[in-house]
Amino acid sequence: MDNKFDLIVIGGGPGGYVCAIRAAQLGLKTACVENRGTLGGTCLNVGCIPSKSLLNLSENYSKAKNNFNLQGIEISDLKLNIKKMMLNKEKSVQILTKGVEFLFKKNKVTYLKGKGSLTDKKEVLVDDGKNKKIYKTKNIVIATGSAPTSIPGIDIDEKNIVSSTGALSLEKVPESMIVIGGGYIGLEMGSVWSRLGSKVTVLEYLDHITPGMDGEISREFQKILTKQGIEFKLDSKVVDLKKAKLNIQVEYEDNKTKEKKKILADKVLVSVGRRPFTSGLNLKKAGVKTDDKGRIEVNERLQTNLKNIFAIGDVIKGPMLAHKAEEEGIAVAEILAGQAGHVNYDVIPGVIYTSPEVAAVGKTEEELKKENISYKVGKFPFLANSRAKVNNETEGFVKILANSKTDKVLGVHIIGPHSGDMIAEMALAMEFGASSEDIARTCHAHPTHTEAIKEAALAVDKRPIHF
Ligand code: NAI
């Protein structure tokens, strides 16, 4: 094999593989190095995709158990088969990771299996465990993603004390589970196991869940999850974990009273954030600069301090989201091909795939206040949306924040059914610089959940029709 490339991408996750495909489409001779054995990174292998499979299946189970009877669908012998559920999840993962491999072949991206590291600013060493080979390249993109963080002194064994990876593969439903951290992972995986029958308790350090989320949505979200049976202990800092014979003891400190308390559970999920994964890349020796949080420093062109080395996704600043990494991957490929690659960081949607889903794009009310931007609010509850009503899914609301002077939409926050899909319309509107009036004057199909968006836009001008 020829070992000279225009671009070598290190990391085959959503950022890296998308970057490699786009670069190849644009005529660059491209290779992608991946160590995992399968492409797709954390997202496809042990993140977004398997968790969505379990979220979907556990929601179906929970509906069949708790809701169907009330709606005239009577099931008398409902059984949970965790093994089958896990197999279903694994099959989806396999199909999708193989799919990326197929896309590499289709686009003529060379797939280099092994661990990549920098030996020089124009050389990448690939070590597959048996052989080491050096490849020459004009440009390098680092897309090595992130890894779970833990609490000092706590050893994640992926059996009883698990990260998101272990939480995706439990062999049976634990009677009780403590989730440390009320963020994206804790609430999604906590929901899965709670729906399947675990008693789930979330310990969160802050006085609210989902840091960074619009406060009103976060409070509503916590209320809904509490109704579903998840218990929350806020202002609680986990300080220690001890494995006993039959269970695990978690010690936490009440931030206000400083009182130390203990609780027991069968399993503990540690979901206190993720850190950029750069170990073994040889960054220091190659001269690539990182910041105090271990993230690779890049400029607005996603270029590191070395001008032919770029970095994208979870290894740089910004939200750790697959779609943000993908956008960056495409931008870098286009920049390298001489085009004007660009990412609009003001319009990156975020979704928590619980039930109901929570989705947001743009600024929160808290951010607008902090930035002294005067804004108007339009809200519409799903309780007044006909489709949500017939489907018996009336929790939540749509909230649109628009500039009080120009009416330009600054942020949209939705908690409710299908909000993860609906937020795409709002991201598109914001990309086009829409005003709330533009949205209010757009015809939305009836009866759909999206009418709640139109009504919230009308509510910005205090003229909703159905509320
Ligand atoms: P996170 O940053 O969302 O939440 C971690 C939480 O743990 C925070 O609320 C923090 O205050 C709390 N915490 C930290 N130390 C603690 C302690 N000692 N005791 C109690 N609480 C403590 O991190 P998470 O949930 O681990 O997710 C990691 C990343 O993965 C996020 O950046 C997220 O964007 C991404 N992700 C995205 C998903 C999606 O888009 N649906 C799904 C899963 C993950």
Side-chain angles (χ1 to χ4, degrees), residues 181 183-185 188 204-205 211 236 238 271 273-274 320-321 351 353:
Y184 279 61
I185 294 179
E188 287 187 359
E204 168 56 51
Y205 175 75
S236 302
V238 170
S271 47
R274 298 180 63 87
M320 289 185 169
L321 297 171
V351 180
Y353 297 87

Side-chain angles (χ1 to χ4, degrees), residues 40-99:
T42 298
C43 171
L44 256 70
N45 290 280
V46 285
C48 323
I49 296 299
S51 65
K52 261 80 268 176
S53 168
L54 292 185
L55 277 158
N56 178 49
L57 298 171
S58 62
E59 189 179 354
N60 289 345
Y61 172 72
S62 161
K63 277 185 181 160
K65 194 172 165 203
N66 305 312
N67 307 86
F68 283 1
N69 267 4
L70 304 171
Q71 296 159 8
I73 305 165
E74 294 178 359
I75 302 171
S76 53
D77 196 21
L78 185 69
K79 271 194 218 126
L80 180 66
N81 186 330
I82 278 280
K83 211 171 167 186
K84 248 192 196 165
M85 201 177 259
M86 292 295 169
L87 280 175
N88 188 296
K89 173 205 73 175
E90 279 146 29
K91 218 166 98 193
S92 317
V93 169
Q94 208 182 26
I95 290 169
L96 288 168
T97 54
K98 282 275 166 219

Side-chain angles (χ1 to χ4, degrees), residues 213-435:
M213 183 184 276
D214 186 90
E216 193 181 7
I217 298 271
S218 166
R219 288 188 292 278
E220 181 70 13
F221 188 27
Q222 191 188 331
K223 248 193 256 164
I224 293 174
L225 292 177
T226 305
K227 246 174 45 194
Q228 290 175 8
I230 298 181
E231 194 182 336
F232 288 91
K233 293 187 189 294
L234 303 181
D235 266 317
S236 302
K237 182 184 176 187
V238 170
V239 287
D240 194 29
L241 248 73
K242 272 195 189 76
K243 272 191 235 176
K245 230 186 191 162
L246 296 171
N247 47 26
I248 304 152
Q249 178 186 283
V250 178
E251 189 179 4
Y252 63 98
E253 186 179 278
D254 185 309
N255 286 341
K256 289 184 182 143
T257 61
K258 299 286 165 215
E259 194 189 337
K260 286 205 173 135
K261 296 176 187 169
K262 288 174 185 153
I263 43 172
L264 298 172
D266 294 336
K267 303 274 176 197
V268 173
L269 164 62
V270 183
S271 47
V272 293
R274 298 180 63 87
R275 63 180 162 79
F277 183 70
T278 54
S279 76
L281 278 176
N282 219 5
L283 290 185
K284 237 189 192 150
K285 206 163 160 222
V288 177
K289 272 195 194 154
T290 52
D291 66 15
D292 54 350
K293 291 187 175 133
R295 301 176 297 195
I296 297 176
E297 281 181 24
V298 289
N299 63 17
E300 65 295 341
R301 286 164 59 84
L302 300 154
Q303 198 169 30
T304 67
N305 57 309
L306 302 180
K307 83 176 186 324
N308 72 318
I309 302 185
F310 296 75
I312 58 171
D314 290 5
V315 281
I316 64 167
K317 63 179 188 301
M320 289 185 169
L321 297 171
H323 44 277
K324 175 251 189 194
E326 288 182 34
E327 292 304 315
E328 290 173 339
I330 287 180
V332 169
E334 293 182 349
I335 288 168
L336 289 174
Q339 299 184 358
H342 168 254
V343 179
N344 180 1
Y345 288 101
D346 291 335
V347 186
I348 305 277
V351 180
I352 306 189
Y353 297 87
T354 43
S355 177
E357 290 177 344
V358 187
V361 60
K363 305 268 188 205
T364 62
E365 273 204 74
E366 290 73 18
E367 284 170 331
L368 292 174
K369 280 182 190 141
K370 207 168 148 197
E371 291 170 30
N372 250 331
I373 299 170
S374 110
Y375 61 94
K376 304 177 279 186
V377 185
K379 272 195 285 186
F380 190 80
F382 283 102
L383 195 64
N385 172 272
S386 57
R387 186 67 180 278
K389 199 120 186 136
V390 296
N391 286 0
N392 298 303
E393 297 173 325
T394 51
E395 284 174 315
F397 56 91
V398 177
K399 171 172 172 178
I400 295 181
L401 306 171
N403 189 299
S404 356
K405 287 188 203 103
T406 63
D407 193 35
K408 187 176 176 183
V409 176
L410 303 171
V412 182
H413 306 273
I414 314 176
I415 177 164
H418 310 290
S419 59
D421 290 312
M422 294 204 297
I423 204 68
E425 179 193 344
M426 295 296 88
L428 187 67
M430 286 179 70
E431 272 293 344
F432 279 79
S435 63

